[in-house]
Amino acid sequence: MREVYRLTRRVAGSQATVLLLGETGTGKELIARAIHELSPRRTGPFIRVNCGALSESLLESELFGHVKGAFTSAHENRTGRFEAAHGGTIFLDEINSISYTLQVKLLRVLQEHEFERVGDTRTISVDCRIVAATNRDLVEMVERGRFREDLYYRLNVLPIYLPPMRERIEDVQPLVEHFIAMYAAENGRSGMSIDAETMSYMKRYSWPGNVRELQNYVERAIVLATAERLTPDLLPPHVRGEAPLRLGRLNRTDLEAMCSELVSLGLAAAPEEGAAYDKVMGLVEKELIQQVLRVCQGTQTKTASRLGINRNTLHKKIEEYGLESDAR
């Protein structure tokens, strides 16, 4: 993390594009804001766009704006996020979810600093710094033809990798103490502390949801506490080891072993060399989505909510795995 902070300070003063890499909940937006606040553009706007939360048509309008009459619901001209970020920084979260068509337009903005609103022919020039973030392996997506290689290299000028909590367990205690102080102040609970046993449980947990998950559980404990010390009973059962752990991110060695077992049992065909990770992840993801779809009787909105993903992402996965018969 000291290296992350050092890199953040070094890149902030430049105008180059920054690519933040890391799992969900590792603090990519915080780093993006820090880059903006430490840059010469600090007095300009900081505009955040969650690219994974919108469909392709809505995202295009959101990023570039549109003119009146460009489509059915375009009743007036609208300024896009790139225009709104003029003189400042635009943070493109979940950049991996942008469609191939929009990737072409984004590449043009990166290279030429210009674009057209949807339905317009007038070219607009914009001066903004781009910070992008992804929780997916973009190199792998390039190899599979899902992400443009030229766009990847244009984004990957200054990469910063944010490690997951399981790789920085020594940071659990200072983070817990920080969040205790923060939420105790918010809830008027001065003098709150944590006992040694509770801290021991938190250090042993793998934190698949990373810092965001840790933050949420500390807030929960502060709200539920009846005394001034946080005790183990205030933690969820799975953090205390009394319930199955949520499936976190498995490493390639684990997944290759799982894949070999599936092949030996005749449940999967032997993958090509180096493709075991993708093979097992695909099998697990497909099975999980199918089971939740069935529990939710095919309702995609409910399924997406239970899986913790947006509906647009779920729709893409349904098409990818051929699960249309399970969905409605």
Side-chain angles (χ1 to χ4, degrees):
M1 288 307 295
R2 291 192 185 99
E3 178 66 9
V4 169
Y5 304 146
R6 185 184 69 81
L7 279 173
T8 299
R9 293 188 183 95
R10 287 192 63 182
V11 307
S14 74
Q15 300 299 318
T17 302
V18 178
L19 180 61
L20 303 176
L21 309 163
E23 297 175 10
T24 299
T26 50
K28 295 187 290 295
E29 184 175 350
L30 288 175
I31 295 298
R33 288 185 180 275
I35 290 171
H36 174 71
E37 294 296 335
L38 293 169
S39 76
R41 296 175 176 270
R42 67 178 68 89
T43 56
F46 177 83
I47 304 296
R48 179 185 180 274
V49 184
N50 186 341
C51 301
L54 300 169
S55 64
E56 180 181 347
S57 58
L58 288 174
L59 181 59
E60 183 178 14
S61 174
E62 190 74 16
L63 290 174
F64 306 113
H66 61 252
V67 295
K68 183 178 179 180
F71 44 87
T72 306
S73 58
H75 302 302
E76 57 185 6
N77 292 346
R78 178 175 178 177
T79 299
R81 297 297 184 92
F82 274 105
E83 282 183 82
H86 184 74
T89 304
I90 185 168
F91 173 48
L92 303 176
D93 199 5
E94 294 188 38
I95 192 74
N96 51 279
S97 63
I98 290 184
S99 70
Y100 218 77
T101 303
L102 277 183
Q103 288 175 31
V104 177
K105 295 189 175 184
L106 181 58
L107 181 62
R108 182 188 172 199
V109 178
L110 281 163
Q111 292 179 333
E112 310 296 336
H113 303 285
E114 61 183 29
F115 61 91
E116 288 85 35
R117 289 179 177 177
V118 178
D120 198 4
T121 57
R122 183 173 63 92
T123 298
I124 298 172
S125 296
V126 67
D127 172 29
C128 65
R129 203 244 186 102
I130 295 178
V131 179
T134 178
N135 57 10
R136 300 287 298 275
D137 185 344
L138 292 186
V139 174
E140 179 186 335
M141 292 183 67
V142 169
E143 291 172 350
R144 296 173 67 178
R146 295 185 177 180
F147 202 84
R148 291 182 62 94
E149 186 173 14
D150 48 4
L151 177 57
Y152 167 70
Y153 288 121
R154 193 66 187 82
L155 288 170
N156 196 40
V157 179
L158 294 170
I160 299 178
Y161 169 70
L162 278 74
M165 282 302 302
R166 63 181 176 275
E167 293 179 9
R168 44 183 293 220
I169 293 301
E170 65 275 13
D171 287 348
V172 168
Q173 184 163 341
L175 283 169
V176 168
E177 291 171 350
H178 165 72
F179 290 130
I180 286 175
M182 183 173 78
Y183 288 116
E186 284 186 10
N187 291 276
R189 303 290 301 275
S190 59
M192 296 295 294
S193 62
I194 183 169
D195 67 27
E197 185 182 6
T198 309
M199 183 64 76
S200 178
Y201 279 123
M202 299 186 89
K203 287 181 177 179
R204 290 201 299 267
Y205 184 56
S206 61
W207 299 108
N210 295 297
V211 182
R212 185 179 294 124
E213 184 181 20
L214 183 148
Q215 179 178 354
N216 290 343
Y217 288 161
V218 172
E219 182 180 16
R220 161 195 168 125
I222 292 289
V223 171
L224 296 178
T226 56
E228 292 186 349
R229 293 181 70 80
L230 301 185
T231 51
D233 59 291
L234 297 171
L235 298 176
H238 62 272
V239 177
R240 303 194 304 266
E242 298 174 5
L245 291 176
R246 287 198 299 115
L247 179 64
R249 289 185 178 269
L250 302 176
N251 60 44
R252 288 184 179 270
T253 302
D254 293 335
L255 287 170
E256 284 169 2
M258 289 171 64
C259 188
S260 297
E261 184 66 18
L262 288 171
V263 172
S264 68
L265 293 171
L267 298 175
E272 297 176 4
E273 184 178 355
Y277 186 92
D278 296 334
K279 182 74 174 180
V280 177
M281 285 306 294
L283 287 168
V284 172
E285 189 173 57
K286 178 181 179 180
E287 179 68 19
L288 177 61
I289 292 173
Q290 188 174 41
Q291 292 297 331
V292 178
L293 273 169
R294 290 173 178 173
V295 169
C296 297
Q297 299 181 319
T299 305
Q300 293 188 40
T301 303
K302 290 182 180 178
T303 302
S305 178
R306 293 194 65 167
L307 290 171
I309 60 179
N310 66 68
R311 195 173 182 276
N312 188 43
T313 299
L314 175 63
H315 184 68
K316 292 177 183 177
K317 293 293 184 183
I318 288 171
E319 291 183 343
E320 179 181 346
Y321 294 125
L323 299 175
E324 290 88 349
S325 60
D326 294 291
R328 62 179 176 86

